[in-house]
């Protein structure tokens, strides 16, 4: 008997669902089509980056571990991808968006509830009873005009946009760790240059004092020799401060408390034949085709998904103007027995009802009309944001291309300046020792050399930073 009643209840539910499917129609509101946004044929930058027809590959096609060859940097990035709190938050936002999609999508299905009850007892008239009853209700909002389908479309787009936002966090995290790491190596190099200058100037001061003792130098020469030494000594604590703060910034990105950062490959080493630079980044590769930027950049994809969601919400707002049809069904059964004076009295078997209702908005004080206006405004804002994100992306790529090219030239010219000033220091020292010039010439040469060496280290860092920013601007590692 119980199985027969359950079959009847399932039959009623199937009938309601079939009726709902027959009543469902097309969703109102506009279907999404990607807007045609005009983009440049080539990236704006140096001439060698303009040959778009030859750029079948892109710097951004490489994964981050193929770009950053320093093993210490690779370890730092791997730690950051595991422990960074911003990334953990982004992952949870994806989980929340996925759950929200499930909640929204559930409105497209019947809502079924069961209410089982078991009762029994004995009355003063010696009536004993044991009754089990089972009642069920089915409520289904018929999505004739696509209100819930459009809402699900919007929620799905929001999920995809949240996933793209997570990729933006990953890309930003990788580039931030690399940027801070190269800054740290640059500061280490500046500190080494400063300490080397201190050692050289200490020898120079000793030599000048010795010459003073033999009467071939003046007290002014000694004081002037100490000026460069004092300047270099004053630079050391400031560089150590910057190093400590940069290490703290890196550890925060790694999800750790402030601590030291192990030294990696030096940025560069000064040799007798000039500066020898560590090549922990590959040489610049082509930027790729501009059209591919729309698919590489996760922030552009996120902006487009926001546009998809806003477009779908217009359909939700329009569907609110139409009748809301609901199908209702309920059924129940009871079985058991009652004993009265030795005889069994059967319990009633079952009952069932069904109904269909419709609700049509007549007067809402302008709420529905303004809700539609709001949805359309949100869609226009999302479109503007999408176009703006594309514009900013091309600006980022152009800035990085120009920056790398010019910083590369600056670094090469600074290397030549260091060589020339090193020679100038040597000549001025020889002239001073030969008594043909005063120590002021030596002082000027040494001061200039110290300044240019620090600028050279900064130029090499800028060159690396521009490559890191180019990788980020192109949406590196998107494949």
């Amino acid at each position: 008997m119980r199985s027969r009643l359950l079959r009847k209840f399932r039959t009623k539910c199937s009938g309601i669902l079939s009726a709902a499917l027959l009543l469902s129609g097309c969703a109102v509101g506009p279907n999404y089509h990607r807007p045609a946004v005009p983009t440049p044929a080539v990236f704006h930058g140096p001439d060698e980056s303009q040959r778009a027809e030859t750029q079948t590959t892109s710097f951004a096609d490489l994964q981050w571990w193929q770009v950053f060859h320093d093993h210490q940097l690779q370890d730092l990035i791997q730690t950051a991808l595991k422990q960074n709190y911003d990334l953990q938050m982004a992952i949870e936002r994806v989980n929340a968006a996925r759950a929200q999609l499930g909640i929204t999508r559930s409105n497209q299905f019947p809502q079924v509830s069961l209410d089982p009850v078991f009762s029994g007892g004995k009355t003063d008239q010696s009536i004993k009873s044991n009754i089990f009853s089972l009642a069920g209700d089915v409520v289904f909002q018929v999505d004739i005009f696509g209100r819930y389908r459009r809402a699900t479309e919007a929620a799905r787009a929001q999920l995809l946009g949240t996933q793209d936002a997570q990729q933006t966090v990953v890309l930003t995290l990788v580039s931030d760790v690399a940027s801070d790491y190269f800054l740290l190596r640059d500061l280490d190099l500046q500190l080494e240059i400063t300490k080397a200058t201190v050692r050289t100037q200490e020898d120079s001061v000793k030599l000048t004092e010795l010459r003073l003792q033999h009467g071939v130098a003046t007290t002014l020469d000694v004081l002037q020799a100490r000026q460069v030494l004092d300047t270099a000594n004053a630079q050391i604590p400031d560089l150590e401060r910057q190093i400590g703060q940069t290490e703290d910034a890196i550890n925060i990105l790694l999800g750790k408390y402030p601590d030291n950062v192990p030294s990696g490959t030096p940025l560069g080493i000064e040799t007798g034949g000039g500066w020898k630079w560590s090549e922990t980044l590959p040489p610049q590769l082509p930027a790729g085709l501009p059209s591919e930027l729309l698919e590489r950049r996760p922030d552009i994809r996120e902006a487009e998904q926001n546009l998809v969601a806003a477009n779908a919400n217009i359909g939700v707002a329009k569907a609110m103007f139409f009748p809301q049809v609901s199908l209702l069904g309920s059924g129940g059964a009871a079985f058991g027995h009652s004993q009265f004076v030795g005889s069994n009295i059967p319990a009633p078997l079952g009952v069932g009802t069904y109904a269909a209702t419709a609700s049509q908005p007549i007067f809402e004080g302008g709420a529905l009309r303004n809700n539609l206006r709001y949805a359309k405004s949100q869609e226009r804002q999302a479109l503007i944001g999408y176009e703006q994100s594309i514009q900013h992306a091309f600006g980022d790529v152009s800035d990085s291309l120009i920056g790398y090219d010019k910083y590369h030239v600056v670094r090469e010219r600074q290397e030549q300046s260091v060589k020339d000033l090193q020679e100038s220091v040597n000549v001025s020292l020889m002239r001073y020792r030969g008594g043909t010039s005063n120590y002021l010439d030596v002082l000027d040469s040494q001061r200039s050399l110290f300044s240019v060496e620090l600028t050279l280290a900064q130029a090499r860092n800028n060159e690396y930073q521009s490559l890191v920013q180019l990788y980020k601007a192109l949406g590196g590692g998107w494949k």
Side-chain angles (χ1 to χ4, degrees):
M1 179 183 297
R2 181 185 304 177
S3 60
R4 184 170 67 252
L5 293 174
L6 291 175
R7 283 198 300 271
K8 287 182 179 180
F9 183 70
R10 284 196 296 266
T11 301
K12 291 181 182 291
C13 292
S14 300
I16 293 173
L17 182 58
S18 300
L21 294 174
L22 291 174
L23 289 173
S24 296
C26 297
V28 298
N31 293 322
Y32 175 76
H33 299 284
R34 174 180 286 183
V37 179
T39 57
V42 293
F43 291 115
H44 175 243
D47 292 339
E48 58 268 25
S49 67
Q50 297 279 2
R51 295 192 288 270
E53 66 275 8
T54 64
Q55 296 183 8
T56 56
T57 60
S58 172
F59 181 42
D61 294 339
L62 301 175
Q63 297 291 350
W64 62 263
W65 56 85
Q66 298 173 306
V67 175
F68 306 118
H69 297 158
D70 189 315
H71 294 296
Q72 179 59 41
L73 175 56
Q74 291 179 356
D75 291 342
L76 294 175
I77 293 175
Q78 288 176 347
T79 301
L81 293 175
K82 293 177 182 178
Q83 300 179 182
N84 180 265
Y85 286 109
D86 288 337
L87 183 54
Q88 293 181 42
M89 189 73 72
I91 293 172
E92 286 307 315
R93 282 194 288 266
V94 171
N95 293 334
R98 185 174 291 112
Q100 186 61 51
L101 172 60
I103 294 171
T104 304
R105 187 170 178 267
S106 67
N107 292 321
Q108 299 183 60
F109 299 96
Q111 308 298 310
V112 181
S113 62
L114 294 175
D115 184 18
V117 177
F118 177 78
S119 62
K122 180 179 180 181
T123 67
D124 294 339
Q125 292 79 22
S126 298
I127 301 175
K128 296 181 180 179
S129 62
N130 291 290
I131 306 296
F132 177 76
S133 62
L134 179 65
D137 296 303
V138 179
V139 179
F140 186 71
Q141 299 285 337
V142 184
D143 198 20
I144 298 177
F145 302 103
R147 172 185 173 186
Y148 297 119
R149 277 171 287 161
R150 289 298 190 192
T152 301
E153 180 183 344
R156 184 175 291 109
Q158 289 168 352
L159 169 60
L160 295 176
T162 308
Q163 292 174 334
D164 291 328
Q166 177 188 343
Q167 292 304 311
T168 300
V169 173
V170 171
L171 181 58
T172 302
L173 178 61
V174 170
S175 61
D176 285 352
V177 172
S179 179
D180 285 352
Y181 178 80
F182 290 127
L183 173 59
L184 182 61
R185 297 282 77 82
D186 169 52
L187 293 171
D188 287 340
L189 179 57
Q190 291 186 51
L191 183 60
E192 287 301 318
I193 292 172
T194 304
K195 288 181 176 179
T197 301
V198 168
R199 290 191 295 269
T200 301
Q201 289 307 119
E202 285 176 343
D203 294 339
S204 180
V205 169
K206 291 178 181 178
L207 176 62
T208 307
E209 290 174 343
L210 182 62
R211 289 172 61 84
L212 175 63
Q213 293 173 6
H214 289 79
V216 292
T218 66
T219 303
L220 181 61
D221 291 340
V222 175
L223 295 175
Q224 288 175 338
R226 288 175 178 172
Q227 289 182 19
V228 177
L229 176 61
D230 294 340
T231 301
N233 274 321
Q235 196 89 348
I236 290 177
D238 185 61
L239 288 171
E240 291 174 339
R241 172 191 62 80
Q242 295 180 59
I243 288 172
Q245 292 176 346
T246 303
E247 288 179 329
D248 290 348
I250 291 175
N251 278 288
I252 293 300
L253 289 173
L254 268 56
K256 296 181 177 180
Y257 290 103
D259 198 357
N260 295 325
V261 174
S263 298
T265 304
L267 201 62
I269 301 174
E270 187 176 11
T271 65
W275 281 87
K276 181 178 180 181
W277 302 105
S278 59
E279 298 297 337
T280 55
L281 280 178
Q284 181 195 11
L285 297 180
L289 299 174
S291 58
E292 294 179 347
L293 190 64
L294 303 184
E295 299 298 334
R296 284 200 195 102
R297 291 267 298 217
D299 59 332
I300 294 179
R301 298 200 306 268
E302 179 187 2
E304 183 177 11
Q305 292 303 327
N306 291 337
L307 179 58
V308 173
N311 182 80
N313 283 329
I314 293 177
V316 176
K318 286 186 175 181
M320 297 293 290
F321 286 90
F322 296 93
Q324 308 298 310
V325 179
S326 300
L327 299 181
L328 309 174
S330 62
F335 43 90
H337 67 276
S338 297
Q339 293 182 346
F340 180 66
V341 193
S343 62
N344 288 332
I345 302 176
L349 293 180
V351 294
T353 62
Y354 54 88
T357 64
S359 174
Q360 171 63 55
I362 300 299
F363 178 73
E364 298 288 344
L368 296 180
R369 183 172 63 254
N370 284 293
N371 185 52
L372 179 58
R373 288 176 179 172
Y374 175 80
K376 289 182 176 180
S377 176
Q378 291 292 103
E379 191 270 342
R380 288 191 293 269
Q381 292 179 50
L383 176 59
I384 293 171
Y386 174 63
E387 294 173 342
Q388 187 180 45
S389 65
I390 294 175
Q391 183 188 67
H392 287 172
F394 276 89
D396 292 343
V397 174
S398 177
D399 289 348
S400 299
L401 285 172
I402 295 173
Y404 172 77
D405 181 73
K406 300 309 175 185
Y407 282 132
H408 181 74
V409 174
V410 169
R411 191 257 299 173
E412 290 180 334
R413 293 180 180 177
Q414 286 296 123
E415 285 182 357
Q416 187 60 47
S417 295
V418 169
K419 291 180 181 179
D420 293 341
L421 282 170
Q422 184 64 62
E423 183 65 23
S424 176
V425 169
N426 294 336
V427 171
S428 61
L429 279 172
M430 290 176 59
R431 289 171 59 85
Y432 171 70
R433 291 166 183 167
T436 58
S437 67
N438 57 39
Y439 199 80
L440 184 60
D441 295 334
V442 178
L443 176 65
D444 289 340
S445 299
Q446 290 176 335
R447 185 186 295 113
S448 298
L449 176 61
F450 176 48
S451 175
V452 170
E453 284 183 326
L454 293 181
T455 304
L456 173 60
Q458 294 168 359
R460 181 57 171 176
N461 176 57
N462 291 336
E463 189 178 8
Y464 265 27
Q465 296 290 349
S466 62
L467 275 177
V468 172
Q469 293 307 312
L470 177 60
Y471 184 70
K472 178 183 177 182
L474 291 171
W478 68 293
K479 288 187 175 180

